[in-house]
Amino acid sequence: MSQPYYQADHQLVYPAGTRITGTVQKASSAGWMKRNGSIVFAFRSVQMSDGRTSDLHSTVGGIQAESSEGLNVGKEGEIRATTSTFARILAPVSLVGPSRGVADMTTRKTAWSRAGEGRKGFGLLGAGAAQASVGTAIGFGYFGAARRLCDAFITKGSNVELPVNTPIFLRLDSSDPSVALTAR
């Protein structure tokens, strides 16, 4: 423990430096179709700084991680990788640009609009190549939309990656009120 833990009445329960040991109870890696990985820890013993040990029954109650790390803790202490809902919503919207170009071929495409469609597929190279024709720009636009849809729904999900020294908050599963810890 990096910080001491006190009971509600300010009595010291675990001093800083207390060592908590546990095991990985369940782990699953990321899979296809954006199935994200998860991990469940079970903490079973506490070793005080003076060498005394005692039994402990706890699970993960929370983690202190940046939102960009894409981690979430479930009710049962399962740490799960998450996928951006915003990216999943925007992926189908990426079909709008090229579809408009196909539906309305009477509109004279400007260099700016062709570059925008080409950029979706191949970045700066696509923006330049899309200057060749409206059809090339639309093709690159559809390619970019297909890539976004694939990334949002089909490709492999994310694994749980806890950076070194990530603070983990524990939820004690004990009925002993002297060591009961609420999830933080």
Side-chain angles (χ1 to χ4, degrees), residues 9-184:
D9 63 356
H10 304 288
Q11 182 181 358
L12 180 65
V13 178
Y14 299 120
T18 300
R19 186 174 181 92
I20 299 173
T21 57
T23 59
V24 174
Q25 205 171 33
K26 175 185 155 192
S28 63
S29 62
W32 292 100
M33 304 301 282
K34 276 302 191 193
R35 188 178 60 81
N36 292 322
S38 65
I39 190 166
V40 177
F41 294 108
F43 298 95
R44 298 292 176 228
S45 68
V46 175
Q47 182 178 9
M48 306 291 186
S49 53
D50 63 3
R52 293 180 296 134
T53 61
S54 62
D55 289 340
L56 175 75
H57 298 286
S58 69
T59 57
V60 175
I63 55 173
Q64 187 175 339
E66 297 293 323
S67 60
S68 62
E69 292 177 38
L71 298 173
N72 189 15
V73 178
K75 291 179 184 175
E76 302 298 319
E78 177 181 41
I79 302 172
R80 188 174 255 313
T82 59
T83 304
S84 169
T85 305
F86 188 66
R88 287 183 160 214
I89 291 170
L90 281 183
V93 174
S94 65
L95 288 168
V96 171
S99 298
R100 263 189 67 226
V102 170
D104 188 13
M105 290 300 277
T106 60
T107 307
R108 182 165 168 77
K109 296 287 183 190
T110 64
W112 184 256
S113 66
R114 288 196 309 261
E117 292 303 321
R119 182 186 55 78
K120 289 179 186 174
F122 290 97
L124 188 58
L125 178 66
Q131 299 306 311
S133 72
V134 172
T136 304
I138 291 170
F140 282 174
Y142 273 126
F143 177 80
R147 213 172 75 207
R148 286 183 95 177
L149 286 166
C150 183
D151 288 345
F153 297 105
I154 298 171
T155 60
K156 208 169 189 181
S158 302
N159 280 315
V160 174
E161 294 181 21
L162 291 174
V164 176
N165 297 325
T166 299
I168 297 176
F169 301 99
L170 300 182
R171 176 179 37 233
L172 298 179
D173 301 330
S174 174
S175 59
D176 180 2
S178 68
V179 294
L181 204 179
T182 58
R184 294 194 243 171

